[in-house]
Amino acid sequence: FRFLVRASNAYDVECIDNLFIQGAPRRLTVSIPRDLLLRYGEKRQIPIYVDRSVGIGLSSYRFELTFDPTVLSMMQVTSFASLTSRGWVGPVMYSITPGRVSISDYSTNSFVNSEPGLLLSLQAEAIYRGSGSGSFARTELSIDPTTLVMNNGDIRTSSVDGSAYVTDDCLEPL
C-alpha cells in the first residue's frame, strides 16, 4: 500500500507498507471413535468423522485403515446421512491384505464446506469368539497417516485412531 499525507503547511509525506494476507490453513483431521463395544456376530456401523472444513472445499479423500482381522471383519462402506452423501460418487473399499483396507471417494461437482460431521461409515462384523465367560479381544482402528490424502494432497491431514472391543458375553446395560 502507498500512503500519501498532505497538509497545507508542510511537505507531502509518503509511506509505503507491504501487507501479506494469508488464508486459513488447509488442514483437516479424520477421526474414529475409541472403545466401541461389539458382541460376537454383531454388525455395526463405525463412523469416521472429519473436523470443520469451512473454507477448505474438500472434494476427495483416500486412506488405508488397519485393524486386527481376527477381531473384526470390514464388510462395506457407506456415505448415507454423511457430509458426502450428495454430489459425491460414493465410497469404495477394497481389501489390500487381511486387516488392511483402502477407502476412497471423490466429487465431480460438490465440495464439503461445513462444520464437523460424518465423512463415511464402515460396516463391520465382530468375528472374535472368546474361550469362555469374560473373554474379549481389542483392536486398534488405525488410519495409516502415510496414505491419508485429501484433494490430491492440497489439504494437510492428521488422524485420530479409534478402537473396538469384541466379546461373546451377553452385554446387558447396568
Side-chain angles (χ1 to χ4, degrees):
F1 288 98
R2 182 175 170 231
F3 301 96
L4 184 60
V5 179
R6 291 192 171 159
S8 59
N9 62 353
Y11 295 107
D12 291 350
V13 177
E14 184 176 316
C15 176
I16 297 175
D17 195 9
N18 293 322
L19 179 64
F20 177 73
I21 300 173
Q22 180 177 354
R26 293 173 52 86
R27 180 181 231 359
L28 286 176
T29 300
V30 177
S31 60
I32 305 171
R34 295 198 66 74
D35 302 328
L36 300 169
L37 181 61
L38 294 90
R39 187 166 185 217
Y40 171 76
E42 179 183 0
K43 294 180 176 95
R44 163 104 46 101
Q45 297 291 330
I46 297 175
I48 298 182
Y49 298 104
V50 66
D51 63 354
R52 188 173 190 266
S53 60
V54 173
I56 293 177
L58 176 63
S59 63
S60 69
Y61 65 82
R62 70 177 180 270
F63 61 89
E64 292 178 10
L65 177 79
T66 60
F67 58 94
D68 184 340
T70 66
V71 177
L72 288 177
S73 172
M74 296 301 165
M75 302 173 66
Q76 65 182 13
V77 290
T78 180
S79 61
F80 180 75
S82 75
L83 298 173
T84 59
S85 63
R86 298 184 133 207
W88 285 59
V89 173
V92 175
M93 177 177 71
Y94 66 89
S95 179
I96 298 171
T97 59
R100 186 177 200 90
V101 294
S102 175
I103 301 168
S104 63
D105 196 2
Y106 68 94
S107 171
T108 57
N109 64 0
S110 178
F111 302 103
V112 174
N113 283 301
S114 71
E115 294 302 316
L118 180 66
L119 183 64
L120 69 129
S121 294
L122 296 164
Q123 185 179 31
E125 181 177 10
I127 60 172
Y128 171 78
R129 183 159 205 134
S131 57
S133 180
S135 65
F136 67 92
R138 181 179 187 276
T139 182
E140 285 290 319
L141 302 168
S142 300
I143 295 173
D144 182 344
T146 64
T147 65
L148 178 57
V149 177
M150 296 186 155
N151 287 15
N152 296 317
D154 289 342
I155 298 173
R156 291 186 303 167
T157 60
S158 60
S159 62
V160 177
D161 294 337
S163 60
Y165 292 90
V166 175
T167 181
D168 59 357
D169 280 347
C170 183
L171 301 174
E172 295 290 333
L174 298 176

